[in-house]
Amino acid sequence: MNLKINAYLEELKSFNDSNAQKIEELRIKFLSKKGLIAALFEEFKAMPSQEKREVGRSLNDLKKFASTKIEELKSTNPVEEDAGEKIDSTRPANNYFLGSRHPVNLVKNEIIGIFEKIGFNVSEGPEVEDDWHNFTALNFPEEHPARDMQDTFFVAKDPDWALRTHTSSVQVRVMENDKPPIRTISPGRVFRNEAISARSHCIFHQIEGLYVDKNVSFADLKQTLLYFAQEFFGKETKIRLRPSYFPFTEPSAEVDVYWGLENEVDYKMTKGTGWLEVMGCGMVDPNVLKNCGIDPEVYSGFAFGMGVERIAMQRYQISDIRLLFENDMRFLEQFQSEL
Ligand code: DAH
């Protein structure tokens, strides 16, 4: 027994490995339930009592020595963490994708902001509209060919209900419900039964403008549109008005913004003229005021209507209107904004 105790002591004393796994192996070899020291204690139990006294102390010393040595080894050589499991709290957090505004909304919000600055409020109307608000009140006589200017989607073959073909219908609703002075813009979706191509779509957005008060003149209309064009397109922007026809305005005009004619894109966008058509406008026809319960002898007004997609396409140089409706993330992600 003594021989074994001495041999084990020697082995323990000479152990000087710092590898945590080797230290653990040493502990198992000597101190576990089935280890060498436990085996010595088993032998010890079976010994005659005289011998026990002699061996007992050495055996206890051996056990104590083994425990202290292994404790020491363990505390000076801690188990190394697996590198893969380490958490580095200084690493940046995951990127969350925040999304972006749709270019049509960016342009719409900017235009609303420009008109809000000069006292226009925002009004809205329904997308499914009746004949009165979309056509009749706006001075489109029944059977009049002007209705053909706007290819209409009728609802369930009912000629009295349709998807609105323009936001001018909101003008009628506002004039029916409010008293002048009225200064309002009406953004919204409109629908036309048209073939879809790179330049036109059957769904698009318009922003309608309406100003009704005493003594509103064509000069007020021109000045308001010049203000808008210079806010939106730049301080040096020039506009021109060309005579046109709409049933609900008299006189009527198309508004062009000078775009420039320097490169191929300018030629394409302006059909070689340098001028870009951005909206229709005019003085509200007295019949329309009358239809909406406003006395045309007392009040006058101007109105205008513009297509949001066209303006967004110009602003962002988008060559195909269909891109605005496909919701392809690769396209939409390019429009980051604070607005
Ligand atoms: N509603 C017309 C369209 O969709 C645009 C328009 C023209 C609106 C002249 C107006 C206006 O308010 O005065 O083509």
Side-chain angles (χ1 to χ4, degrees):
M1 170 76 84
N2 270 326
L3 280 179
K4 279 189 189 162
I5 291 175
N6 286 333
Y8 294 169
L9 264 176
E10 281 312 308
E11 187 178 341
L12 285 163
K13 277 181 189 162
S14 61
F15 182 93
N16 64 357
D17 207 315
S18 61
N19 180 293
Q21 199 179 334
K22 290 274 161 54
I23 296 169
E24 177 62 8
E25 281 167 12
L26 186 75
R27 185 192 70 77
I28 292 166
K29 182 173 175 189
F30 283 95
L31 289 175
S32 66
K33 271 190 192 159
K34 289 184 178 168
L36 292 173
I37 293 176
L40 285 186
F41 273 96
E42 284 302 308
E43 267 184 53
F44 175 80
K45 271 193 219 161
M47 285 173 99
S49 344
Q50 319 95 295
E51 287 181 38
K52 268 189 182 167
R53 285 178 87 209
E54 196 193 323
V55 180
R57 178 180 286 169
S58 328
L59 189 54
N60 272 326
D61 287 347
L62 170 69
K63 191 180 175 187
K64 226 182 253 169
F65 182 82
S67 311
T68 335
K69 167 118 189 177
I70 288 168
E71 272 315 300
E72 264 175 31
L73 283 169
K74 280 197 164 182
S75 64
T76 49
N77 302 288
V79 182
E80 265 182 46
E81 271 181 62
D82 181 354
E85 283 183 9
K86 257 194 215 162
I87 295 170
D88 177 358
S89 56
T90 64
R91 278 179 60 194
N94 283 346
N95 270 337
Y96 287 101
F97 182 63
L98 281 179
S100 56
R101 296 248 183 233
H102 195 281
V104 165
N105 271 337
L106 290 176
V107 165
K108 184 184 88 176
N109 291 342
E110 190 176 334
I111 295 173
I112 290 174
I114 291 171
F115 282 102
E116 275 178 345
K117 279 204 270 180
I118 53 169
F120 280 69
N121 65 11
V122 175
S123 50
E124 285 182 343
E127 292 180 349
V128 176
E129 193 52 284
D130 55 31
D131 180 273
W132 170 256
H133 291 96
N134 197 77
F135 290 123
T136 305
L138 288 166
N139 205 30
F140 285 82
E142 248 174 80
E143 313 296 333
H144 192 279
R147 293 192 183 211
D148 293 343
M149 278 163 68
Q150 313 202 342
D151 305 298
T152 310
F153 281 120
F154 290 97
V155 175
K157 297 202 173 121
D158 183 343
D160 203 44
W161 288 95
L163 299 179
R164 67 180 175 195
T165 59
H166 52 180
T167 44
S168 301
S169 56
V170 187
Q171 272 192 38
V172 178
R173 291 185 173 271
V174 172
M175 285 192 279
E176 282 175 340
N177 293 314
D178 291 351
K179 298 220 166 333
I182 292 169
R183 265 174 297 185
T184 191
I185 50 169
S186 323
R189 241 184 345 175
V190 301
F191 308 84
R192 300 225 181 139
N193 192 356
E194 270 173 27
I196 297 170
S197 71
R199 292 193 63 81
S200 67
H201 209 286
C202 58
I203 303 175
F204 54 101
H205 296 76
Q206 287 186 333
I207 296 181
E208 188 79 12
L210 176 71
Y211 180 26
V212 182
D213 202 351
K214 287 177 182 156
N215 303 317
V216 176
S217 71
F218 201 89
D220 296 324
L221 169 60
K222 252 178 112 172
Q223 201 55 38
T224 305
L225 297 180
L226 181 64
Y227 156 78
F228 162 71
Q230 295 190 335
E231 286 288 304
F232 190 85
F233 294 100
K235 281 282 164 255
E236 305 301 319
T237 303
K238 292 191 196 104
I239 61 168
R240 74 176 184 189
L241 275 69
R242 280 179 292 111
S244 184
Y245 169 76
F246 300 102
F248 37 92
T249 43
E250 181 57 38
S252 306
E254 303 271 2
V255 184
D256 296 342
V257 163
Y258 191 69
W259 178 257
L261 200 54
E262 272 158 32
N263 56 38
E264 206 184 327
V265 177
D266 296 344
Y267 265 87
K268 243 186 173 167
M269 300 284 261
T270 68
K271 295 184 194 135
T273 66
W275 291 91
L276 202 69
E277 187 187 314
V278 291
M279 66 177 110
C281 69
M283 300 306 293
V284 181
D285 193 292
N287 282 339
V288 176
L289 293 174
K290 223 184 294 167
N291 287 339
C292 301
I294 292 174
D295 184 352
E297 300 295 327
V298 181
Y299 295 103
S300 56
F302 65 69
F304 55 86
M306 59 186 115
V308 184
E309 279 77 6
R310 283 208 68 188
I311 296 178
M313 287 167 78
Q314 288 148 19
R315 155 111 351 148
Y316 300 114
Q317 304 275 298
I318 299 164
S319 56
D320 191 323
I321 194 171
R322 289 169 290 201
L323 285 166
L324 295 169
F325 296 94
E326 282 165 359
N327 287 335
D328 185 330
M329 295 283 280
R330 292 166 301 179
F331 172 75
L332 296 176
E333 275 168 7
Q334 297 174 53
F335 301 92
Q336 301 292 339
S337 149
E338 300 292 311
L339 271 174

